[in-house]
Amino acid sequence: LNGRIFDPIHIVQDGEYVDAGFHGSASIKKVLPVLAPDLSYKELAIREGETAAASWAILTDPAVPERERRELRRAMLEYCALDTLAMVRILEYFRGIAA
């Protein structure tokens, strides 16, 4: 299964597609505003992967109040949903220019 998974970051990392708006980065946070400017992480409570990863320990800690874990869960689901949609939209963009 892993051999069938493709991460579109490689298109940018490998220099197959370059845009000055990426500012030399292949990060989804730099690529997304150029290829799908209607999507943004700015309004989310969690805006980057490091925060999402650090949030996992809090989310799974039974000592953390249930209300706080519920709010964090919602924030993580919003972040993950946008991350997934961003990858889909970036891949669609590349498929569109390759067709």
Side-chain angles (χ1 to χ4, degrees):
L1 180 64
N2 284 342
R4 294 175 45 204
I5 294 175
F6 176 76
D7 187 343
I9 193 173
H10 297 294
I11 295 170
V12 177
Q13 276 181 339
D14 297 345
E16 295 174 31
Y17 187 88
V18 177
D19 188 291
F22 299 163
H23 304 283
S25 174
S27 163
I28 196 168
K29 305 309 183 287
K30 298 290 185 183
V31 173
L32 188 64
V34 175
L35 303 186
D38 59 309
L39 299 180
S40 174
Y41 290 83
K42 291 178 184 176
E43 301 298 320
L44 298 181
I46 297 175
R47 295 181 190 93
E48 72 282 322
E50 287 182 28
T51 302
S55 297
W56 181 251
I58 299 166
L59 187 65
T60 58
D61 184 350
V64 174
E66 178 65 27
R67 181 175 179 201
E68 186 177 336
R69 286 187 288 144
R70 245 192 333 268
E71 290 173 11
L72 182 57
R73 181 179 188 275
R74 181 194 50 74
M76 286 189 63
L77 287 172
E78 287 177 353
Y79 172 79
C80 291
L82 181 56
D83 235 25
T84 302
L85 178 58
M87 293 296 267
V88 168
R89 293 283 301 281
I90 289 168
L91 187 57
E92 287 175 344
Y93 179 89
F94 288 137
R95 282 184 173 164
I97 63 172

